[in-house]
């Protein structure tokens, strides 16, 4: 079991309850999760109407979410043909990680320098959720915890330019990881993530940078294996 001694119990009132998520953001997060977890199968087609019906959030927020996901390269809107879900080519995982590595180091260093109490609380909650997912073997919960960790990193780093660059790469990477490594990679991945959190919360920029590089190296090793299949 991976243990982080400074983790606190989550608040009784969740952030989702205290601060309801706007419809467009909710539509984006639901669709992103469906794409990452392959509920929307790679290279398949879906219609806007089907997504609106499935999400039950209204046409405008769903359209906004579709546009954002298309910009991120996860969807391809084709007039009169529907919406294509991005295919998964194993070799592309390496390209994603090569693009992601540098910005992750920037975010890790900056997060260690500027982390606030609010961001620290998010890191604590993400680490606890990740630990619980490893213990229960719940891959979907792990994916959600990983997303929460990335959001905490973006908040702590106080660098919106780097965060906006990293976010779609993180999503693509999660999708590849879910497809090619989720069945065996929970504990090892969690260990690397928790090490990164520890360094950030300790305010150690050098250690945070090294832990970010180690995490990217771990993922790249998985991607290299996937590319040979």
């Amino acid at each position: 079991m991976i243990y982080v001694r400074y983790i606190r119990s989550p608040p009784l009132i969740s952030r989702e309850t205290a601060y309801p998520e706007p419809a467009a953001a909710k539509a984006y997060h639901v669709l992103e999760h469906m794409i990452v977890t392959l509920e929307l199968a790679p290279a398949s087609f879906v219609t806007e109407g089907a997504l609106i019906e499935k999400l039950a959030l209204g046409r405008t927020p769903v359209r906004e979410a579709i546009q954002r996901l298309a910009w991120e390269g996860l969807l391809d809107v084709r007039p009169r043909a529907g919406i294509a879900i991005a295919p998964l080519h194993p070799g592309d995982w390496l390209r994603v990680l090569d693009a992601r590595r540098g910005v992750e180091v920037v975010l890790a260093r900056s997060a260690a320098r500027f982390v606030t109490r609010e961001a620290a609380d998010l890191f604590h909650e993400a680490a606890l959720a990740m630990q619980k997912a490893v213990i229960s073997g719940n891959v979907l919960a792990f994916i959600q915890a990983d997303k929460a960790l990335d959001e905490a990193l973006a908040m702590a780093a106080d660098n919106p330019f780097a965060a906006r660059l990293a976010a779609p790469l993180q999503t693509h990477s999660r999708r590849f990881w879910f497809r090619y490594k989720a069945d065996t990679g929970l504990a090892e991945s969690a260990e690397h993530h928790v090490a990164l959190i520890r360094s950030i919360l300790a305010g150690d920029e050098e250690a945070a940078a090294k832990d970010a590089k180690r995490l990217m190296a771990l993922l790249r090793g998985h991607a290299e294996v996937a590319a040979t299949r």
Side-chain angles (χ1 to χ4, degrees), residues 5 59 87 113 132 136 144 155 168 183:
R5 62 181 177 82
R59 184 176 299 276
R113 187 183 314 134
K132 289 181 176 178
S136 64
Q144 292 174 327
M155 174 186 287
D183 56 339

Side-chain angles (χ1 to χ4, degrees), residues 89-101 169 172 176 220 223:
H89 302 301
D92 285 343
W93 194 4
L94 291 168
R95 296 182 178 92
V96 168
L97 292 170
D98 286 345
R100 183 182 171 191
R101 181 179 184 272
L169 296 171
H172 281 282
F176 279 107
R220 202 177 198 288

Side-chain angles (χ1 to χ4, degrees), residues 176-194:
F176 279 107
W177 182 87
F178 184 85
R179 167 62 180 84
Y180 293 108
K181 193 60 184 176
D183 56 339
T184 59
L186 289 186
E188 187 179 29
S189 180
E191 184 177 355
H192 281 66
H193 282 88
V194 170

Side-chain angles (χ1 to χ4, degrees), residues 145-229:
D146 184 68
K147 172 72 172 177
L149 192 158
D150 287 338
E151 291 175 345
L153 184 64
M155 174 186 287
D158 192 28
N159 186 334
F161 303 100
R164 288 171 188 159
L165 178 62
L169 296 171
Q170 291 164 343
T171 301
H172 281 282
S173 186
R174 260 191 298 276
R175 187 171 181 241
F176 279 107
W177 182 87
F178 184 85
R179 167 62 180 84
Y180 293 108
K181 193 60 184 176
D183 56 339
T184 59
L186 289 186
E188 187 179 29
S189 180
E191 184 177 355
H192 281 66
H193 282 88
V194 170
L196 175 59
I197 291 173
R198 286 194 181 116
S199 295
I200 290 172
L201 295 183
D204 190 332
E205 294 182 41
E206 289 302 319
K210 288 179 182 177
D211 287 327
K213 290 176 183 177
R214 290 190 188 104
L215 177 58
M216 291 301 103
L218 173 70
L219 294 175
R220 202 177 198 288
H222 297 332
E224 288 170 352
V225 172
T228 62
R229 293 180 180 177

Side-chain angles (χ1 to χ4, degrees), residues 32-45:
E32 181 199 53
H33 185 73
M34 291 170 67
I35 294 169
V36 166
T37 60
L38 313 185
E39 183 177 346
L40 291 175
S44 66
F45 280 82

Side-chain angles (χ1 to χ4, degrees), residues 2-161:
I2 303 162
Y3 179 67
V4 182
R5 62 181 177 82
Y6 43 72
I7 287 178
R8 303 182 311 167
S9 297
L12 294 177
I13 299 176
S14 69
R15 284 182 175 79
E16 290 74 15
T17 301
Y19 307 102
E21 191 174 29
K26 184 175 181 180
Y28 170 82
H29 285 131
V30 172
L31 282 177
E32 181 199 53
H33 185 73
M34 291 170 67
I35 294 169
V36 166
T37 60
L38 313 185
E39 183 177 346
L40 291 175
S44 66
F45 280 82
V46 67
T47 65
E48 180 185 276
L51 293 179
I52 292 170
E53 182 177 355
K54 190 173 187 66
L55 272 62
L57 288 172
R59 184 176 299 276
T60 298
V62 172
R63 278 186 173 176
E64 290 180 13
I66 290 170
Q67 290 171 359
R68 180 176 171 185
L69 289 162
W71 179 84
E72 293 179 352
L74 292 160
L75 297 177
D76 182 12
V77 181
R78 302 179 182 180
R80 296 181 297 279
I83 301 167
I85 313 303
L88 271 178
H89 302 301
D92 285 343
W93 194 4
L94 291 168
R95 296 182 178 92
V96 168
L97 292 170
D98 286 345
R100 183 182 171 191
R101 181 179 184 272
V103 72
E104 289 289 344
V105 173
V106 170
L107 288 171
R109 283 184 178 276
S110 187
R113 187 183 314 134
F114 298 118
V115 64
T116 62
R117 179 64 179 272
E118 183 181 4
D121 286 345
L122 293 178
F123 278 123
H124 293 156
E125 292 168 16
L128 180 58
M130 197 167 278
Q131 291 172 4
K132 289 181 176 178
V134 171
I135 292 168
S136 64
N138 188 330
V139 175
L140 293 180
F142 187 91
I143 285 287
Q144 292 174 327
D146 184 68
K147 172 72 172 177
L149 192 158
D150 287 338
E151 291 175 345
L153 184 64
M155 174 186 287
D158 192 28
N159 186 334
F161 303 100

